[in-house]
Amino acid sequence: MECSHDTSEARNGLRLILLCWLVYACSYIGKLGYNANISQIGAAYGVSYAEAGMVSTFFFFAYGGGQVINGLLCKRYPIKWVVLSCLSISAVINISVALGSDFGLLKYLWLINGAAMSFLWTILIRLLSETLSQKDIPRAIYWMGTTVATGTFLVYGMSALFVAVASWRVTFYVAAAILFLAALIWLLRYDRLVKPLKREREAEAPLLSQSDSARGKGFAAIGGMIAVLAFFAVVNNFVKDGITAWTPDILARIYNTPGWLSILLTLLLPAMAIGGVAVASRAYARTGSFVGVCAILFGATTVLIGVVLALLQTGLPAVTVGCLAIVSCMMAGVNNVITSMVPLHMKEKVHSGSLAGVLNGFCYLGSTVSMYLLGAIADAWGWRAVFVVLLMLSGAALLLGLGYLALRRGKAHQA
């Protein structure tokens, strides 16, 4: 009977992970539709790179700020209804963008979308940390780490198809339908999966509970590492989202690639990014250091961006796309370390939802700056200058990581 009980719990745990995976992967379809079609939307409305990028900046401002606020408050949220509301609000916003005709309104609609979507990650990480057994945590880290790449791949694939055969507006209609469907599945499955798992965790509570004061001391003890990871988070999303959003335009402007084909080629970026989760997991298994893994991945990124910069405008778009796809893989690995591995592995020291919110907030600070700034740099100095900025930031993250590791090693020797 005990074996049967354990099997039932394991199945419910896996199903809950997959439900959270579905919700968050679909949320990316609802929030990246604009980025995937930024070139087409900008051309349709006749606006500059900077103006087009400002819409995403509004989104990431609300999303990043909301991550921090919701990370601090998520312990009090009714999870079931908050997730349902967020998916529904985003669906309505996507329909509004598809129907809209005034570019000036887009940034305010996308601001609301960012605010709604900012609840999801922290609350899903809180849910997983509170309901899953310890043996299910590595599985949750892996699957949740693939949501970003999967959602990005799907929305860019949809966009390439709809730009080729119809209009960019179709992407937003389809995104709304997917979000409503995800909300319905969440509503129907949530109680059936969560209630039995929560009963299991409550039975184990005397053995696993930890006071808020103990968690506060844990946070203080790892404060230095969190500060370094926060800087990594800013650079990570600056590079990751900047490359993903602007690669279609880079291919179109520099290599004269048709718009639909530019988006289609950009699919290589999220496709490769899915592998970044596995790369990060294996690297952590060998090094046991979150900062060490990030330093390795930033090192590879710096080299690859240097190759792109050296070969830009040489008539080799395949090399550019290939290098950027591997960069996307490396940045997905860094993102997985920061937003999944650290909060879930450190759940006994720091509240997972709060830590996920703070670190994800820094991620989207990078996204907020990236979309407008890279567009403005491209307007003023061209795409070569954009890659110079990306190279410098990635190199700075590498140096910080190496410096932190050297400092820690020095203190260990002194002790």
Side-chain angles (χ1 to χ4, degrees), residues 24-48:
Y24 205 68
C26 289
S27 80
Y28 259 73
I29 297 174
K31 66 189 180 188
L32 279 191
Y34 181 85
N35 283 11
N37 293 277
I38 191 170
S39 297
Q40 284 68 37
I41 296 172
Y45 286 103
V47 298
S48 67

Side-chain angles (χ1 to χ4, degrees), residues 27 50 78 97 118 142 186 189 233 235 256 304 312 330 389 398-399:
S27 80
V97 171
S118 70
Y142 177 81
W186 171 266
R189 298 295 295 168
V235 176
N256 298 315
L304 290 164
L312 201 64
M330 299 298 102
V389 171
L398 170 62
L399 292 175

Side-chain angles (χ1 to χ4, degrees), residues 128-188:
L128 293 171
S129 70
E130 290 178 352
T131 55
L132 294 181
S133 64
Q134 193 62 39
K135 63 183 180 182
D136 280 330
I137 291 298
R139 183 183 291 173
I141 290 170
Y142 177 81
W143 280 103
M144 294 305 290
T146 66
T147 53
V148 176
T150 302
T152 303
F153 181 86
L154 291 173
V155 74
Y156 273 80
M158 287 166 41
S159 298
L161 173 64
F162 296 141
V163 167
V165 302
S167 165
W168 57 265
R169 294 181 186 273
V170 179
T171 299
F172 294 92
Y173 288 120
V174 174
I178 290 172
L179 288 166
F180 278 130
L181 179 59
L184 179 61
I185 294 172
W186 171 266
L187 181 63
L188 295 175

